[in-house]
Amino acid sequence: MNYRHAFHAGNFADVHKHTVLVALLDRLTRKPKPLFFLDTHAGRGRYDLQSNDARRSNESQQGIDRLRARVPVNADIARYLTLGGLTAGEAQPVTAAYSGSPLLALAALRDGDRVVFVEQQAEEARILRNETRHHRNVSIVCGDGYAALTTWLPPKENRGLVLIDPPFESPKEFDTLASALATFASRWSNGVCAAWYPLKSSRESARFLSTLQQSGIRRILTLELSVRPADSPLGLNGSGMLIINPPWQLDQEMRLAMDEMHATLAAEGATRAKVHWLVGE
Ligand SMILES: C[S@@+](CC[C@H](N)C(=O)[O-])C[C@H]1O[C@@H](n2cnc3c(N)ncnc32)[C@H](O)[C@@H]1O
């Protein structure tokens, strides 16, 4: 596997995914009962945006640098910046390390919550172990995140979230993700699951969504943020988050956050931000 998230950290897709992740955890922690959080593709936890890898692609310029240059109106965007330790309203590039999903989740969760991070690359898992060493109730597993769904679900807390954020290097990843979502739903019918998917070719993402529509899984919400016109040959045109069993009113609340992200991050001609119930109750 060649995938290195350091090349992409802080890009528009990270901004989108991480705002949704924080919004989900904020809603789930409103009740005092302990939660379980599983991050199947966790990465290293924190990314240096000044590293050679990050500077080579400079993807954060069109992502986190742009987003935090303005003070956000939306409370969910503001909360994501705060938990990531970023001050809003500063025009210069972010020089601080950028928090990935594990560190954002730990900032949103409480001491009594239980957390499992799975990462396949040994070096990334080692760095993540070091980043999270001061946290209790955290297990770091170096292995396959998809297999972890059968190992860890259903959790004894019976409340919580699974984040599935695959690298999409393999052409089969859409199929693997669709079957992982079926595994999730069969093992933990009332859990919440958030999965990231790329918007590159609309044919591929439409096929993936149609598979899920026919899967029998109920309550699937999709949140799609496009920053370029659909099927533009430049590469990643948009970022999708699919949520099974979203908390109450997340659809309406995320619509506001997505519209603001779109206004800040999208190029002319990009499809509007889309919040859509793929499957209802
Ligand atoms: C998109 S990155 C994850 C970024 C992270 N979720 C974040 O938001 O900060 C995908 C990660 O999955 C890891 N990976 C790839 N295949 C995996 C698998 N089958 N199981 C677990 N991790 C995997 C890669 O090494 C990479 O670190």
Side-chain angles (χ1 to χ4, degrees):
M1 181 179 35
N2 298 317
Y3 184 86
R4 306 262 300 275
H5 194 65
F7 285 109
H8 311 291
N11 69 1
F12 76 90
D14 258 9
V15 163
H16 175 227
K17 172 202 317 171
H18 292 152
T19 302
V20 175
L21 170 66
V22 167
L24 284 166
L25 289 173
D26 269 358
R27 278 134 187 96
L28 288 168
T29 50
R30 279 179 191 160
K31 284 194 186 152
K33 285 189 179 166
L35 293 182
F36 175 73
F37 175 62
L38 168 65
D39 187 344
T40 60
H41 295 69
R44 60 172 56 191
R46 191 196 296 264
Y47 298 88
D48 174 5
L49 297 184
Q50 301 306 312
S51 71
N52 288 340
D53 287 351
R55 289 269 65 98
R56 192 142 26 119
S57 55
N58 258 340
E59 290 187 26
S60 58
Q61 263 182 6
Q62 308 302 322
I64 191 59
D65 286 353
R66 268 213 208 181
L67 188 85
R68 78 87 175 246
R70 291 178 32 184
V71 176
V73 176
N74 181 266
D76 286 306
I77 299 176
R79 172 87 170 140
Y80 150 65
L81 293 175
T82 303
L83 292 193
L86 299 170
T87 317
E90 289 187 14
Q92 65 271 35
V94 170
T95 52
Y98 179 81
S99 294
S101 53
L103 292 198
L104 285 168
L106 289 175
L109 289 166
R110 306 148 304 180
D111 284 349
D113 298 324
R114 189 164 61 99
V115 177
V116 177
F117 295 128
V118 187
E119 167 56 47
Q120 195 161 55
Q121 294 195 57
E123 178 60 5
E124 299 292 286
R126 186 191 65 75
I127 296 171
L128 181 59
R129 197 164 282 125
N130 189 45
E131 289 287 357
T132 57
R133 65 191 181 283
H134 298 304
H135 289 268
R136 290 174 56 233
N137 289 340
V138 174
S139 307
I140 314 273
V141 178
C142 183
D144 177 24
Y146 290 121
L149 295 171
T150 20
T151 311
W152 296 90
L153 302 185
K156 62 177 188 296
E157 295 83 356
N158 201 18
R159 295 190 68 243
L161 174 67
V162 173
L163 173 67
I164 308 180
D165 181 18
F168 277 90
E169 275 202 313
S170 151
K172 291 198 194 124
E173 194 93 65
F174 271 116
D175 292 338
T176 312
L177 177 56
S179 72
L181 291 169
T183 303
F184 166 84
S186 68
R187 298 191 67 89
W188 193 17
S189 58
N190 58 327
V192 182
C193 183
W196 184 83
Y197 59 97
L199 301 177
K200 280 186 179 168
S201 126
S202 36
R203 196 169 52 84
E204 261 185 342
S205 45
R207 193 173 67 84
F208 166 67
L209 295 175
S210 147
T211 306
L212 286 164
Q213 229 164 4
Q214 291 157 32
S215 66
I217 304 173
R218 312 304 305 167
R219 303 197 72 239
I220 306 180
L221 181 73
T222 57
L223 311 171
E224 294 189 347
L225 177 73
S226 296
V227 296
R228 280 194 279 268
D231 294 320
S232 151
L234 286 173
L236 189 63
N237 298 318
S239 160
M241 284 292 272
L242 179 148
I243 303 174
I244 301 176
N245 290 328
W248 190 59
Q249 289 188 333
L250 189 86
D251 51 347
Q252 292 156 44
E253 291 163 358
M254 279 296 101
R255 199 178 295 277
L256 303 174
M258 302 264 300
D259 283 345
E260 188 170 330
M261 278 188 263
H262 187 266
T264 312
L265 304 177
E268 192 128 331
T271 319
R272 284 198 53 192
K274 217 168 97 188
V275 176
H276 172 65
W277 279 99
L278 187 68
V279 184
E281 294 294 339

